[in-house]
Coordinates of all heavy atoms in Angstrom, one line a residue:
V5 N 147.1 153.0 122.8 CA 147.2 154.5 122.9 C 146.9 155.0 121.5 O 147.3 154.4 120.5 CB 148.6 154.8 123.4 CG1 148.8 156.3 123.4 CG2 148.9 154.2 124.7
I6 N 146.3 156.2 121.5 CA 146.0 156.8 120.2 C 147.2 157.5 119.7 O 147.9 158.2 120.4 CB 144.9 157.9 120.4 CG1 143.5 157.2 120.8 CG2 144.6 158.7 119.1 CD1 142.5 158.1 121.3
N8 N 148.3 160.3 117.7 CA 147.7 161.6 117.3 C 148.0 161.9 115.8 O 147.1 162.3 115.1 CB 148.1 162.7 118.2 CG 147.6 162.7 119.6 OD1 146.8 161.8 119.9 ND2 148.0 163.6 120.4
C12 N 145.2 162.0 112.9 CA 144.9 163.2 112.2 C 145.1 163.1 110.7 O 144.4 163.6 109.8 CB 145.6 164.4 112.8 SG 144.9 165.0 114.3
L19 N 138.4 163.1 105.1 CA 137.6 164.3 104.8 C 137.9 164.8 103.4 O 136.9 165.2 102.7 CB 137.9 165.4 105.8 CG 137.5 165.1 107.3 CD1 138.1 166.0 108.3 CD2 135.9 165.2 107.3
M32 N 130.1 172.8 109.8 CA 129.4 171.7 110.2 C 129.5 171.3 111.7 O 128.6 170.8 112.3 CB 129.7 170.5 109.3 CG 129.2 170.6 107.9 SD 129.5 169.2 106.9 CE 131.2 169.5 106.4
H34 N 130.3 173.6 114.0 CA 130.0 174.8 114.7 C 131.2 175.3 115.5 O 131.0 175.7 116.7 CB 128.7 174.6 115.6 CG 127.5 174.2 114.9 ND1 126.8 175.0 114.0 CD2 126.9 173.0 114.8 CE1 125.8 174.3 113.5 NE2 125.9 173.1 114.0
L35 N 132.4 175.2 114.9 CA 133.6 175.7 115.6 C 133.7 177.2 115.4 O 133.1 177.8 114.5 CB 134.8 175.0 114.9 CG 134.9 173.5 114.9 CD1 136.1 173.0 114.1 CD2 135.0 173.0 116.3
Y42 N 142.7 173.6 110.9 CA 144.1 173.7 110.4 C 145.1 173.1 111.4 O 146.1 172.5 111.0 CB 144.5 175.1 110.0 CG 143.7 175.6 108.8 CD1 143.0 176.8 108.8 CD2 143.8 174.9 107.6 CE1 142.4 177.2 107.6 CE2 143.2 175.3 106.4 CZ 142.5 176.5 106.5 OH 141.8 176.9 105.3
K51 N 153.4 168.6 112.8 CA 153.8 169.9 113.2 C 152.9 170.4 114.4 O 152.6 171.6 114.5 CB 153.7 170.9 112.0 CG 154.5 170.5 110.8 CD 155.5 171.4 110.6 CE 156.3 171.0 109.3 NZ 157.6 171.3 109.3
G52 N 152.4 169.5 115.2 CA 151.5 169.9 116.3 C 151.0 168.7 117.0 O 151.3 167.6 116.7
M55 N 144.2 167.7 118.4 CA 143.2 166.6 117.9 C 141.8 167.1 118.1 O 141.6 167.9 119.1 CB 143.4 165.3 118.7 CG 144.7 164.6 118.4 SD 144.5 163.1 117.5 CE 143.0 162.3 118.1
M61 N 135.0 164.4 117.3 CA 135.4 163.1 116.6 C 134.1 162.3 116.3 O 134.0 161.7 115.2 CB 136.4 162.4 117.4 CG 137.2 161.3 116.6 SD 138.1 162.0 115.2 CE 139.7 162.2 116.0
L68 N 131.2 161.3 108.2 CA 131.9 160.4 107.3 C 131.2 159.1 107.1 O 131.6 158.3 106.3 CB 133.3 160.2 107.8 CG 134.2 161.4 107.7 CD1 135.5 161.2 108.5 CD2 134.5 161.8 106.3
K69 N 130.2 158.8 107.9 CA 129.4 157.6 107.9 C 130.3 156.4 108.1 O 130.2 155.4 107.4 CB 128.6 157.5 106.6 CG 127.6 158.5 106.4 CD 126.9 158.4 105.0 CE 125.8 159.4 104.8 NZ 126.1 160.8 104.8
P71 N 132.2 154.1 111.6 CA 132.4 153.9 113.1 C 133.5 154.8 113.6 O 134.6 154.9 112.9 CB 132.6 152.4 113.3 CG 132.3 151.8 112.0 CD 132.4 152.8 110.9
L72 N 133.4 155.3 114.8 CA 134.5 156.0 115.4 C 135.8 155.3 115.4 O 136.8 155.9 115.1 CB 134.1 156.4 116.8 CG 134.9 157.3 117.6 CD1 135.1 158.7 116.9 CD2 134.3 157.5 119.0
Y76 N 140.3 156.4 114.5 CA 141.4 156.4 115.4 C 142.5 155.4 114.9 O 142.2 154.3 114.5 CB 141.0 156.0 116.8 CG 140.3 157.1 117.5 CD1 139.0 157.1 117.8 CD2 141.0 158.3 117.9 CE1 138.3 158.1 118.5 CE2 140.4 159.3 118.6 CZ 139.1 159.2 118.9 OH 138.4 160.3 119.6
V81 N 151.2 149.8 123.9 CA 152.3 150.1 124.8 C 152.3 149.1 126.0 O 151.2 148.6 126.4 CB 152.3 151.5 125.3 CG1 152.5 152.5 124.1 CG2 151.0 151.9 126.0

Side-chain angles (χ1 to χ4, degrees):
V5 177
I6 296 169
N8 291 356
C12 284
L19 290 166
M32 288 184 276
H34 305 288
L35 302 173
Y42 288 128
K51 306 247 182 211
M55 290 252 319
M61 197 63 92
L68 293 166
K69 296 178 175 61
L72 187 57
Y76 284 112
V81 293

